[in-house]
Amino acid sequence: MTHSSRNFPLVLAALLQICFATFCIATPPTSTNAILFVTQVPMPTEVNARVITQSVVNVSSSFGNQLGDTASCGRGGALWIWYPDGSVTNLTQLAGYGTSNVFQGTTSIAVREPSVHWGGTRALFSMVIGAPTNQSDATKFFWQIYEISNFAVKGQTPIITYISNQPTNYNNVSATYGTDGRIIFTSDRPRDGSAYLYPQREEYLQLPTVSGLWSLDPVSGDLFLIEHSPSGSFKPFVDSVGRVIFTRWDHLARDAEALTDQQGTTTNHMFTYSDESAGGVITTNLTEVFPEPRSSDNAALAGANMRGNEFNQFFPWATDEDGTGEEVVNHIGRHELLQSVPSSTFTNDPNIVTLDHSQRFNTNYVSSFFPSSEDPNTPGLLYGVDTGDIGTHNAGRIVTLMANINTNPDFMVINYLTAAVQPFGPNPGGLYRNPLPMSNGVLIAIHAANATNLDSNIGTPVAPKSTYDFRLKTLKQSGSLFVPDKILTPGFTNTFTYYVGSNLVTSAGALWELDPVEVASRPIPSKRIATVQTIEGQVFNEEGVDLPTFQNYLRTNNLALVVSRNTTARDHADRQQPFNLKVGWPGGTQTLGTNGTIYSIGFLQLMQADLLRGFKPDGVTPAPGRRVLAQPLHDAIVLNPPPTNIAPAGAVQLATDGSFAVIVPARRALSWQLTDTNAAPIVRERYWITFQPGEVRTCANCHGINEHDQTGVQGPPTNEPQALRTLLRFWLASNPVGTAQFSAANYSVSETAGSLTVPINRIGGSTGPLTVTFNAVNATALAGVDYIATNGVLTWLDGDATGKSLTIPILNDGLAESNETFAITLTGATATNTATVTILKQPIQVWRVTYFGTNANNAAIAGDLADPDGDGVTNLLEYALGLNPNVASVSGLPMVGQTNGFLTLTYTRVNSATDIGYVPEVSGDLVNWNSGPLFVSQLVLASNSVFQTIQARDLVPLDIAPSRFIRLRITHP
C-alpha cells in the first residue's frame, strides 16, 4: 500500500484590524469551519541534564508538560477561536476568565489543548486559574478540565463550566470526548490514588510525569485508569473507528541517574524504597534486574557477552476506551518505524544483527512519532510530528502514518510532508507542531519560522525570551513537500508579569499560538468491545470454565489473564534478539529461523512496575515522588499454577507447545522476559503493557507476527495453548463449579398424594453458572399411568448455592397392585446423579394383590364388601382386623366386654392399614351413635410391629343407663 501527497487548497489571509476582543481579517480565508486554538506565554527553557534538579521542561515540552506552577507554565494565555470570515475571538475573556492586567495574579489563567465534541458545538480544554500573588505565596496550582459551549457561531456569548468529579489537587490535561459520555484525559494522579506516591517520575530524567490515561464519567464520578504509563502518555483522541490514539513515551531501561551516581559523575543521591507502601524503608540498594544493563554500564557488561540497552521512543499507541487491547497502533513497532534497530543482548551470536530501514517495505523512518490528529477524509491516516524529546517544544517535521485498522504493520507507510529536520539544527525552514488536516482539505499547522536550532532563553531568568515564534498557519505544497503559506492570526503581543518563586518574571512580546482543532461535527463511532479470541474461547469450553464467570472473577479481583500460544515463534524482522528458540522441557517445540545457536527457553518471567526509586536533592531529604523499577511479579503470582521446575521469581513455566497463560494484576504496567530453564534471560520485552480488570488478552506469540515468523513461511500460531488448559484446571480446583445432587437417594410418595417435590442441592462449589437437566424415567411405574412425565432444567447463577426443587405429578390409578418405582436423573453436572422414587399404593390394594393375586381387581372377589371365604366377614373387615379373607373363620373378631362398670370393645388394629379408619361408636338406642374422645376412650393393651390390641370403652357407666351399645365402624375413603 502506498500513499501520495495531494494538493491542498490554499487559505488566503489579508490585512488585520483590532475589534475589541475580536480581531478581524479584511479578506477572509476560504475554510468553512472555525478553529479553536490557544495562546501561551513563551517558555523557552528546556534542559536535559543527568542531575535531576538541573533538568527543565515546561507546558510546551514533549514530556513532563503537565505541571500547573508558574515555573512550568507562565500566565497570560487564552482560548481563542478563528472564524471562517477571518476574525478571531478570545473566548475565555468573553466568558469572564483571565485578566487583562499586566500582573497575572489570582484571576490569571493559562489554557491548553482544546478538543471538540462529536456534535461540534462544545469543547473540552484544560485551564489553570491563578498564580502566586507575592514572593512568599506557596499556593499550589493545578490544571483542571473545563467545557466551553455557545461559541461555534460568531457573536454568541461562550459559557465555560467546570467538569465535575475530576481529580482535584492533581493536573488533568489533554481531555477528549469518549463515545459514551465519558471523558478521556491524562493526569498525574498516582496510579492507585495514593498521595504519598505523588508525583510519579518518568524513567529518563526522573521529572514528574502523568501516570497514564484516565476515564471519567462526570455525572457519576466513576473514574478508572485506562493505562499505566511509567514515563507518560500524551494527547489522546478517539479516531473514526473508536480507538483511543495517543502518544506514549517508552523508556524501558535501567536508571541512568543511578548509574551516573555510581560512576561518580553526578550526585543525585539515589536510593530505593524497600517496597511501594507508604511505610517503605529507604535503602541504598540500587540493584536492578531488568532489562539488561545500559551500554554505558561497563562494569555490569564486563565479561557478559552482552550489548547494553537504552530505549527512548515516542510512538503512536492505541487502546479501546475501557483500556483493553493496548498496543502500539496496529502492533507496529521499532522494526517498522525507526531508521535502524540495533542488535541487542548477545555479542557472540552472528545471527543477531541490526535491522536497517532499507530492508523493509516502508523505507521512510522517524525517530519518534507524536500523532496529532486523524485525517477527517481518510480513515486511519494519522498526522503528527517527528521530533526529539527535548529542546524544540515538541516541534519538528510533519509526517503521516497510514494506520487504518486493517493495515498490516509491514505495509504501514510513513510519508514526509515537510522538510527533513536536523536534531540539533540548523533547520532553515523552521519547525512544525500540531498538524491539523481540515475537513475541506486545508492543512493547518503551528509553525515556528525562527526555530532553526534548539530553543534557548536568550533573555534572562526574570525576562525570558524564546527564539521560537509559534504561529497558526496554512501550508501549501511546494514540490513534494509542504511549506508555510498564510498566517491566520494577527499575532498577539502582550506584556505580563507573574511570580516564579521569589522572582517576578516579565514576559514581553509575542505569545505562542498552539493546539489548533477544527470546530466540526463528526460521526460517533461504535464503542469497541474486546472479545476473547476463538481459539482460547474453545479451550474455556472444553475445560468447563464459564468465560463470563471467569472474567467476572478477574474483574472483581482487579486481575487480567494473558495468553500466548507459542513463544518460540517471532516476527520475521525481529533478529535483534535470539530467534532460534526451543522449549527446553522434554518434548518441547522449537521454531528456527536459520542455522546457528539454538536457545533453550523454559519460563516467562514477568516484571511489574513498582514505584520504588527516589533521590535526595540535598543529600538528606527525599524528593517527593518515585520512579518505577522493574520488579519480578509479586502481585497475583500465587494465583498461577506453580512451576514444576525451579523457576525465577515472578515466573510461570512454559508448556511444551511454547504457550503460557498467566493471571496478572490489572491497571499496573507490566513487562516480561523469556528465560532458559536455569532462569538466565534470553529474550526481553521492550515495552510496558497494561491490562484491564477482566481482560483476557491473547498475543499469539511475542514478538507478534505481522505476516510470517522467523522461518519466513509460517504465520501466527493457531494451536490451542496447553498452558491455558493447565491454568484453568488449577483455577477450577480453587474455584469449583460444584454439582447438583438430590438431597437423598430414595424418595417415596403415596399414590394419593397428587405430587412429589424433590429437593436438589448445589454442593462442592458455586463458581460460575450451573445448569442441569432433570428427567423422569420409567421403571415399574409408567409415565401417563402412575405419574406425569416430567423433564426440565434447573439453573444456578454464579455464586448461587441455594437449594432448588422439582415437582412431579403423581396419578392415582385406583388399581390393586404392588408399589411401583421410577427414576429421576440429573445430567449436566460433573456426573449423572439418579434418585429412585417409590409410588406407595394404598395398603388395601397391596393386601388385595397379596391375597387375591390375579383377582385383585375383581370386585366380586376382592371388593370391600365381598366375602369370598363365606364366613360372614367382609374383605374390608378382614383387612382391618388382619384376617385371611381366603380362610373361613370368626377368630379375631372384636370382643365386647365390661370393665369396672363400663362397656368395652376390644379389637385388633393393623399398623400398615393406614388407608382406613377405625371408629369405635357408642349408642343408647341403636339409632344415634356417637364417637370421639367425649364419648369413647381408647387404650392400647398390646403392641408389636404388625398389630395393636385396642380396648375402646364407653364413657357412660352401665349402672345409670337403661341400655348401652358399642360397635366398631371401619371407614374406607
Side-chain angles (χ1 to χ4, degrees):
M1 181 181 296
T2 61
H3 173 76
S4 60
S5 300
R6 51 182 175 161
N7 291 319
F8 289 88
L10 303 182
V11 178
L12 302 178
L15 299 176
L16 307 175
Q17 62 182 30
I18 297 178
C19 314
F20 303 105
T22 299
F23 293 91
C24 301
I25 298 179
T27 304
T30 57
S31 178
T32 56
N33 290 322
I35 300 171
L36 286 175
F37 65 98
V38 305
T39 54
Q40 170 62 50
V41 171
M43 305 292 292
T45 304
E46 292 183 346
V47 177
N48 182 339
R50 289 272 74 93
V51 177
I52 298 171
T53 55
Q54 294 177 4
S55 292
V56 179
V57 292
N58 57 60
V59 65
S60 64
S61 301
S62 296
F63 66 93
N65 55 45
Q66 79 286 347
L67 296 179
D69 60 279
T70 52
S72 301
C73 181
R75 301 299 192 261
L79 176 65
W80 289 79
I81 188 167
W82 176 92
Y83 288 112
D85 66 357
S87 62
V88 289
T89 298
N90 186 331
L91 296 176
T92 41
Q93 180 181 335
L94 285 182
Y97 287 83
T99 176
S100 58
N101 296 333
V102 172
F103 179 68
Q104 299 289 295
T106 304
T107 60
S108 65
I109 63 171
V111 181
R112 61 187 290 168
E113 301 167 323
S115 175
V116 175
H117 185 264
W118 306 100
T121 59
R122 48 197 171 105
L124 298 169
F125 66 97
S126 289
M127 180 164 61
V128 58
I129 300 177
T133 58
N134 55 62
Q135 292 177 320
S136 60
D137 188 347
T139 304
K140 302 291 186 182
F141 300 96
F142 299 95
W143 290 100
Q144 295 282 278
I145 304 170
Y146 294 80
E147 185 176 60
I148 186 170
S149 59
N150 215 45
F151 67 90
V153 177
K154 184 178 178 181
Q156 293 177 307
T157 300
I159 300 171
I160 293 177
T161 56
Y162 178 80
I163 295 298
S164 300
N165 294 311
Q166 64 183 298
T168 56
N169 298 323
Y170 297 111
N171 294 287
N172 308 320
V173 297
S174 303
T176 192
Y177 292 98
T179 62
D180 54 0
R182 299 183 73 94
I183 294 173
I184 298 167
F185 62 102
T186 67
S187 176
D188 59 6
R189 179 185 190 269
R191 179 190 64 83
D192 64 355
S194 298
Y196 67 87
L197 295 176
Y198 183 83
Q200 178 177 301
R201 294 182 175 272
E202 40 82 9
E203 301 161 287
Y204 183 38
L205 303 178
Q206 303 203 35
L207 299 178
T209 187
V210 295
S211 56
L213 299 185
W214 294 79
S215 176
L216 170 70
D217 180 345
V219 177
S220 69
D222 178 60
L223 175 74
F224 68 86
L225 182 66
I226 293 178
E227 62 94 40
H228 177 211
S229 181
S231 286
S233 293
F234 314 96
K235 298 185 184 298
F237 63 90
V238 179
D239 75 354
S240 57
V241 294
R243 297 178 294 184
V244 181
I245 305 294
F246 60 101
T247 302
R248 203 181 83 173
W249 190 17
D250 292 299
H251 204 284
L252 179 50
R254 295 196 185 185
D255 183 356
E257 285 70 37
L259 176 59
T260 55
D261 268 16
Q262 290 173 319
Q263 293 174 333
T265 59
T266 58
T267 52
N268 291 295
H269 304 288
M270 308 304 299
F271 65 87
T272 305
Y273 287 99
S274 59
D275 57 57
E276 203 178 64
S277 70
V281 177
I282 291 176
T283 75
T284 58
N285 180 13
L286 299 181
T287 301
E288 296 183 60
V289 297
F290 181 85
E292 60 267 63
R294 303 180 72 93
S295 59
S296 58
D297 191 351
N298 296 325
L301 292 173
N305 291 323
M306 184 167 50
R307 296 177 179 88
N309 174 68
E310 290 86 26
F311 198 89
N312 183 17
Q313 263 84 46
F314 293 84
F315 279 163
W317 282 69
T319 182
D320 295 339
E321 290 178 79
D322 63 359
T324 57
E326 184 196 29
E327 63 179 7
V328 185
V329 65
N330 286 29
H331 207 76
I332 200 171
R334 299 182 302 157
H335 296 79
E336 296 84 18
L337 292 175
L338 297 183
Q339 180 178 12
S340 64
V341 180
S343 59
S344 59
T345 62
F346 304 111
T347 59
N348 57 351
D349 186 348
N351 286 329
I352 300 175
V353 296
T354 293
L355 173 71
D356 185 77
H357 67 100
S358 63
Q359 299 171 275
R360 64 188 184 218
F361 173 81
N362 170 38
T363 57
N364 289 344
Y365 56 85
V366 293
S367 59
S368 284
F369 181 73
F370 294 79
S372 178
S373 57
E374 179 186 27
D375 191 319
N377 301 310
T378 307
L381 182 61
L382 302 180
Y383 283 71
V385 293
D386 176 12
T387 184
D389 52 33
I390 200 166
T392 66
H393 309 297
N394 196 226
R397 183 184 202 180
I398 297 178
V399 298
T400 61
L401 175 67
M402 189 59 207
N404 185 287
I405 196 167
N406 295 317
T407 304
N408 187 292
D410 277 349
F411 303 105
M412 292 173 69
V413 175
I414 295 169
N415 269 334
Y416 304 134
L417 296 194
T418 58
V421 170
Q422 301 301 317
F424 302 102
N427 295 298
L431 299 177
Y432 303 83
R433 55 174 283 167
N434 306 124
L436 176 64
M438 300 285 284
S439 298
N440 66 346
V442 174
L443 180 59
I444 305 291
I446 300 299
H447 177 245
N450 293 335
T452 58
N453 289 284
L454 299 181
D455 197 12
S456 62
N457 182 8
I458 58 175
T460 66
V462 295
K465 186 174 179 59
S466 170
T467 62
Y468 283 24
D469 55 341
F470 287 123
R471 298 294 301 277
L472 180 64
K473 300 178 183 180
T474 62
L475 274 62
K476 65 180 181 181
Q477 194 162 2
S478 176
S480 62
L481 299 174
F482 283 81
V483 296
D485 187 19
K486 302 298 182 181
I487 301 174
L488 294 184
T489 73
F492 308 95
T493 300
N494 297 89
T495 297
F496 297 119
T497 62
Y498 52 88
Y499 278 104
V500 177
S502 61
N503 292 325
L504 183 64
V505 174
T506 299
S507 176
L511 299 178
W512 284 345
E513 301 164 14
L514 303 171
D515 302 335
V517 60
E518 183 177 21
V519 180
S521 63
R522 295 177 294 147
I524 303 177
S526 298
K527 186 173 184 178
R528 294 171 58 83
I529 304 297
T531 58
V532 175
Q533 294 192 24
T534 301
I535 291 174
E536 283 65 39
Q538 180 63 27
V539 175
F540 273 87
N541 290 335
E542 292 171 1
E543 294 301 322
V545 177
D546 180 68
L547 180 56
T549 296
F550 184 82
Q551 290 183 288
N552 185 59
Y553 162 83
L554 295 175
R555 196 173 295 112
T556 300
N557 293 283
N558 197 37
L559 301 169
L561 173 66
V562 186
V563 181
S564 183
R565 297 173 191 157
N566 184 1
T567 55
T568 69
R570 298 183 66 78
D571 185 67
H572 68 97
D574 189 2
R575 297 187 173 225
Q576 289 66 63
Q577 296 199 71
F579 57 89
N580 282 340
L581 301 176
K582 174 182 174 60
V583 175
W585 312 121
T589 190
Q590 68 179 20
T591 309
L592 307 180
T594 188
N595 296 324
T597 302
I598 298 175
Y599 295 85
S600 173
I601 55 175
F603 301 100
L604 178 84
Q605 185 181 27
L606 294 109
M607 301 290 172
Q608 65 181 68
D610 283 352
L611 289 159
L612 299 176
R613 181 56 50 84
F615 71 102
K616 301 175 182 178
D618 61 359
V620 178
T621 305
R626 306 183 187 185
R627 175 203 195 272
V628 302
L629 292 180
Q631 298 292 291
L633 181 67
H634 49 87
D635 293 350
I637 189 64
V638 297
L639 301 176
N640 295 283
T644 57
N645 295 273
I646 298 175
V652 294
Q653 185 167 318
L654 300 177
T656 55
D657 64 349
S659 65
F660 70 77
V662 56
I663 293 174
V664 299
R667 295 178 178 158
R668 181 193 286 275
L670 303 172
S671 194
W672 47 82
Q673 61 185 359
L674 294 172
T675 76
D676 66 15
T677 55
N678 295 314
I682 301 297
V683 182
R684 296 170 173 87
E685 174 61 38
R686 296 306 185 194
Y687 296 109
W688 292 110
I689 302 290
T690 305
F691 303 96
Q692 286 298 307
E695 184 174 7
V696 176
R697 181 81 180 274
T698 296
C699 181
N701 60 291
C702 296
H703 170 164
I705 293 171
N706 296 337
E707 288 188 289
H708 304 296
D709 66 11
Q710 64 265 49
T711 67
V713 177
Q714 299 170 165
T718 58
N719 57 294
E720 292 186 352
Q722 295 174 8
L724 179 57
R725 293 190 187 279
T726 301
L727 181 140
L728 293 180
R729 293 170 185 174
F730 178 80
W731 183 80
L732 273 177
S734 301
N735 301 272
V737 175
T739 59
Q741 192 172 83
F742 293 107
S743 61
N746 297 283
Y747 300 91
S748 61
V749 59
S750 171
E751 184 179 47
T752 60
S755 65
L756 171 66
T757 298
V758 179
I760 311 294
N761 297 322
R762 184 179 190 177
I763 63 172
S766 61
T767 300
L770 174 64
T771 299
V772 295
T773 300
F774 62 86
N775 288 281
V777 182
N778 289 344
T780 55
L782 303 178
V785 176
D786 302 298
Y787 67 96
I788 294 178
T790 304
N791 57 69
V793 173
L794 296 175
T795 299
W796 286 263
L797 299 178
D798 178 30
D800 180 11
T802 57
K804 298 185 182 297
S805 63
L806 59 89
T807 300
I808 299 177
I810 303 299
L811 302 177
N812 183 1
D813 58 12
L815 296 177
E817 55 189 354
S818 300
N819 293 339
E820 297 170 308
T821 63
F822 66 93
I824 314 171
T825 61
L826 296 175
T827 56
T830 307
T832 299
N833 188 15
T834 302
T836 299
V837 177
T838 300
I839 300 177
L840 301 175
K841 304 297 290 186
Q842 294 183 59
I844 195 170
Q845 303 286 34
V846 177
W847 180 83
R848 287 182 177 132
V849 171
T850 302
Y851 285 99
F852 301 118
T854 57
N855 290 318
N857 291 298
N858 185 337
I861 297 174
D864 284 358
L865 301 180
D867 182 14
D869 59 1
D871 59 3
V873 181
T874 64
N875 284 338
L876 182 58
L877 191 55
E878 298 258 16
Y879 167 68
L881 299 176
L883 305 178
N884 187 335
N886 295 316
V887 176
S889 173
V890 295
S891 175
L893 293 176
M895 299 293 293
V896 177
Q898 180 179 334
T899 302
N900 299 324
F902 292 91
L903 187 64
T904 62
L905 178 69
T906 301
Y907 66 92
T908 299
R909 181 171 189 150
V910 179
N911 293 337
S912 63
T914 57
D915 52 347
I916 60 173
Y918 294 79
V919 185
E921 298 178 326
V922 294
S923 175
D925 58 10
L926 295 178
V927 175
N928 299 300
W929 292 90
N930 297 303
S931 62
L934 295 178
F935 302 96
V936 181
S937 66
Q938 297 196 70
L939 177 66
V940 177
L941 300 179
S943 176
N944 58 37
S945 61
V946 179
F947 302 107
Q948 286 183 323
T949 300
I950 308 293
Q951 184 186 74
R953 186 175 70 170
D954 184 6
L955 296 182
V956 177
L958 290 173
D959 59 1
I960 65 171
S963 59
R964 296 301 294 169
F965 307 93
I966 190 167
R967 71 181 184 184
L968 178 64
R969 182 165 59 90
I970 304 299
T971 62
H972 182 200

